[in-house]
């Protein structure tokens, strides 16, 4: 008696396709001002009214996490959580273009011989 289970078609939920401009969640804590460069806007911190020209996501995140003295503690924690979450996602998806891709060039002959020495018994 064979109980054949129907193969469970696993549907991997594709990441939320953001229609239009992908607005980073950090913008919830900033006011978006004029566009001063292509895709770059003036950002004003809602808590302390500090202005960033242009408002770049890493700078804004850093401001909330480290520099903003007026931001609510819970917001600060939320941003830290958010940043950690999206950093892990970026690394695992390989979307991070800023990785040091020179790393493979650093495999020297020395390393090569060391490795082959280790692998042969
Ligand atoms: Zn601030």
């Amino acid at each position: 008696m064979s109980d054949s289970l129907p193969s469970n078609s696993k549907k991997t939920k594709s990441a939320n396709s953001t229609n239009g401009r992908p607005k980073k969640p950090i913008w919830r804590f900033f006011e978006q001002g004029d566009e001063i460069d292509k895709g770059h806007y003036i950002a004003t911190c809602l808590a302390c009214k500090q202005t960033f020209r242009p408002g770049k996501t890493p700078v804004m995140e850093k401001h909330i996490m480290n520099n903003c003295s007026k931001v609510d503690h819970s917001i600060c924690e939320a941003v830290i959580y958010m940043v950690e979450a999206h950093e892990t996602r970026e690394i695992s998806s390989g979307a991070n273009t800023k990785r040091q891709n020179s790393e493979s060039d650093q495999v020297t002959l020395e390393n090569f011989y060391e490795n082959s020495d280790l692998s042969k018994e």
Side-chain angles (χ1 to χ4, degrees):
M1 199 145 91
S2 61
D3 232 338
S4 61
L5 290 166
S7 58
N8 216 357
S9 59
K10 261 187 209 160
K11 240 187 186 172
T12 36
K13 219 176 180 185
S14 56
N16 283 354
S17 52
T18 37
N19 329 317
R21 167 171 303 115
K23 204 166 178 193
K24 298 278 168 45
I26 190 71
W27 280 100
R28 278 189 298 184
F29 314 113
F30 287 81
E31 194 188 298
Q32 186 178 318
D34 295 334
E35 187 175 16
I36 54 170
D37 201 359
K38 210 180 175 210
H40 291 135
Y41 296 82
I42 296 173
T44 308
C45 176
L46 292 177
C48 70
K49 308 296 176 198
Q50 189 174 326
T51 309
F52 298 87
R53 302 166 63 96
K56 288 191 179 163
T57 322
V59 177
M60 291 151 71
E61 286 165 347
K62 221 179 216 168
H63 170 76
I64 296 285
M65 290 191 290
N66 304 315
N67 303 326
C68 190
S69 50
K70 296 208 176 152
V71 77
D72 202 82
H73 183 68
S74 60
I75 292 179
C76 180
E77 284 197 332
V79 170
I80 290 172
Y81 184 81
M82 194 173 79
V83 168
E84 279 176 355
H86 86 69
E87 270 181 358
T88 11
R89 210 186 312 143
E90 267 178 20
I91 287 166
S92 56
S93 71
N96 200 340
T97 51
K98 272 196 189 161
R99 306 302 295 170
Q100 312 136 329
N101 37 19
S102 60
E103 223 163 89
S104 53
D105 290 332
Q106 285 172 358
V107 182
T108 59
L109 268 184
E110 246 176 278
N111 285 337
F112 178 76
Y113 281 121
E114 239 169 53
N115 285 344
S116 52
D117 259 356
L118 281 175
S119 59
K120 100 175 145 204
E121 288 270 294

